[in-house]
Amino acid sequence: KGISVLGYAMFSDHEMVRRAATEAMSNLVPHPDMIEYLRKPEKLKVWVAFASDFDENYECARAALGCLAMVTGDAVITQELCKLSNTKAMVESVLSSGKLELMHRILVTALNIAEYESEWITTSGTLAFCEAYIFTYHDGKESDKLQFSASDNQLMAVTVDIAKELVKACSNR
């Protein structure tokens, strides 16, 4: 019952209620009932939509992307996610956003997807993005021009490393 109540609260008019509900649902990922909930395409599609809305609702998008990063370890969820019509556009928009915290989460999601659906990584353009990202930022010298804080420089290095892992994972298949 708690999952359905929180799912309802995710659509609250109050921004903080929406954010808290999305974060709480994300924290329920280890529970088998939450995995079953997200195996339903209509429920998963909502999470993709929330992840896409980072310009208007950053915190909800961050929580939704964290949830997707965690649940894509499940083969059924990953396969359903790759079938959704809005997933490719969401991945593209998050990767191109330049928001490192969100990019980190979507790259982890993509790395998990590669485990079960490596062809999707290629056809979605995610692999091409990662290859270009690595080419541009592989050694950290180009990121110096971006005038990032020390923490963002560290996160940049992490995102580049995950992109390298993803390219390697796809080339091994």
Side-chain angles (χ1 to χ4, degrees):
K1 182 173 176 166
I3 291 174
S4 62
V5 169
L6 288 171
Y8 179 77
M10 287 174 64
F11 294 96
S12 171
D13 290 334
H14 194 283
E15 181 181 337
M16 291 180 75
V17 171
R18 214 174 30 248
R19 181 174 109 193
T22 307
E23 290 173 351
M25 292 278 279
S26 295
N27 291 336
L28 288 174
V29 164
H31 197 280
D33 289 347
M34 185 63 181
I35 296 297
E36 285 303 316
Y37 177 86
L38 289 170
R39 285 181 174 167
K40 299 173 187 154
E42 69 277 4
K43 303 297 185 188
L44 194 56
K45 192 170 191 166
V46 169
W47 286 84
V48 173
F50 269 58
S52 301
D53 195 28
F54 55 85
D55 283 331
E56 295 294 320
N57 296 297
Y58 184 86
E59 290 83 6
C60 286
R62 183 180 58 206
L65 285 162
C67 179
L68 293 173
M70 290 185 285
V71 299
T72 47
D74 181 89
V76 173
I77 291 174
T78 298
Q79 290 161 353
E80 291 300 329
L81 182 65
C82 292
K83 292 177 192 174
L84 294 176
S85 61
N86 59 342
T87 300
K88 181 179 181 277
M90 179 272 293
V91 171
E92 287 175 357
S93 67
V94 173
L95 286 175
S96 64
S97 72
K99 298 177 186 311
L100 293 171
E101 190 176 29
L102 304 182
M103 291 172 68
H104 176 231
R105 286 166 169 76
I106 201 63
L107 286 167
V108 170
T109 302
L111 188 58
N112 290 339
I113 289 171
E115 179 76 23
Y116 304 106
E117 298 282 341
S118 61
E119 183 65 27
W120 188 90
I121 296 297
T122 302
T123 60
S124 69
T126 305
L127 183 61
F129 173 90
C130 287
E131 290 169 337
Y133 191 62
I134 292 164
F135 179 78
T136 304
Y137 299 110
H138 65 94
D139 59 6
K141 292 179 184 168
E142 290 297 316
S143 66
D144 292 341
K145 296 177 185 176
L146 301 174
Q147 300 178 351
F148 282 153
S149 66
S151 63
D152 280 346
N153 273 328
Q154 287 178 321
L155 192 49
M156 177 77 164
V158 169
T159 60
V160 170
D161 287 344
I162 296 169
K164 288 177 183 177
E165 282 183 61
L166 182 58
V167 169
K168 184 179 177 183
C170 289
S171 68
N172 290 338
R173 298 197 193 295

